[in-house]
Amino acid sequence: MDLPILPLAITMMAGPQIISAIIFVTVPRAARISLAFLCGVALAVTVGVLVMLLVAHLLGNAVHLGSESDKGSVGNIIKYVLVGLLALLALKNWRGRESAEPPKWLGTLMSADTRRAFTVGLLVIALMPSDLIVLLTVGVHLQQRHSGFAAALPFIVLTVLIAALPLLLRSLFRRRAETAMPAVRDWMNGHSWLINIGVCVLFIVLVLSGA
């Protein structure tokens, strides 16, 4: 188990990812649709970790990544570059906050079937730049520690658990959740720019603090 990468699981699902999960618990057949979405997320994160571990391994064979304790090591420089990219993304979201709108595809999820929900679960991980950056950070981190895929399993499980929170809350607090979830969904849709900035800031803090 590699505990330092666990907090990065939070950034994996913050943004359109968790909004999708909330939307799916407000539709008819919510449990079935949500489970399909979770399967897509689980597959995407698992494959993503494997791919980024391979990328980090190839980088490690090409150049010496060094140790995490060496701030000037190639591995840490890669992490700092990724931090810089997310800082630019946060700045872009801030500058465009007045005209920011949620992705149009979010509005189509209310009519999604299980196949569409599974596909969305795959794509909200596989196509999100912030998630790809997190996965690459995880891969570089594990390579620096000479850890294998097994060390990333808690990270994968926690990511899926976070994705499952809306469904778990709906199951535990059914009547209250059915009332609250649509309001939460609408607020997050209207403040997607703020959520994206929060994701970027959280990632930057976690990486710079040694996550």
Side-chain angles (χ1 to χ4, degrees):
M1 180 182 295
D2 203 316
L3 294 178
I5 63 174
L6 284 182
L8 293 177
I10 300 172
T11 65
M12 288 292 296
M13 286 305 301
Q17 300 89 331
I18 196 65
I19 296 176
S20 300
I22 292 173
I23 289 174
F24 285 139
V25 299
T26 64
V27 302
R29 299 187 302 160
R32 184 180 301 180
I33 298 293
S34 295
L35 288 174
F37 172 75
L38 293 175
C39 288
V41 168
L43 179 59
V45 175
T46 301
V47 173
V49 168
L50 286 170
V51 170
M52 292 308 182
L53 268 174
L54 176 60
V55 170
H57 178 71
L58 294 175
L59 284 173
N61 287 338
V63 295
H64 182 56
L65 295 180
S67 66
E68 288 187 304
S69 60
D70 179 6
K71 299 302 181 182
S73 66
V74 173
N76 283 335
I77 290 173
I78 292 174
K79 292 180 183 179
Y80 299 149
V81 170
L82 297 178
V83 163
L85 290 175
L86 278 184
L88 290 174
L89 181 60
L91 179 61
K92 179 182 177 182
N93 277 281
W94 173 259
R95 294 181 64 179
R97 66 189 184 281
E98 298 297 335
S99 58
E101 294 182 358
K104 293 182 179 179
W105 56 266
L106 282 175
T108 68
L109 299 186
M110 293 295 294
S111 58
D113 56 12
T114 52
R115 180 179 297 182
R116 175 78 190 285
F118 176 78
T119 303
V120 169
L122 283 174
L123 298 184
V124 293
I125 301 298
L127 297 184
M128 289 294 172
S130 59
D131 281 354
L132 295 177
I133 290 174
V134 172
L135 290 171
L136 181 55
T137 302
V138 170
V140 171
H141 172 86
L142 294 176
Q143 178 66 22
Q144 284 184 298
R145 294 199 167 194
H146 306 289
S147 300
F149 175 74
L153 288 177
F155 166 79
I156 295 172
V157 171
L158 184 57
T159 300
V160 177
L161 180 61
I162 293 171
L165 282 178
L167 180 60
L168 293 174
L169 291 173
R170 183 182 184 275
S171 301
L172 290 173
F173 308 102
R174 188 176 185 87
R175 189 167 299 175
R176 292 182 179 180
E178 288 176 352
T179 302
M181 285 297 180
V184 174
R185 175 197 64 203
D186 293 342
W187 185 91
M188 296 185 79
N189 268 328
H191 296 80
S192 57
W193 64 271
L194 181 59
I195 296 170
N196 289 334
I197 291 175
V199 172
C200 295
V201 171
L202 177 60
F203 175 86
I204 291 170
V205 170
L206 290 174
V207 172
L208 293 183
S209 64

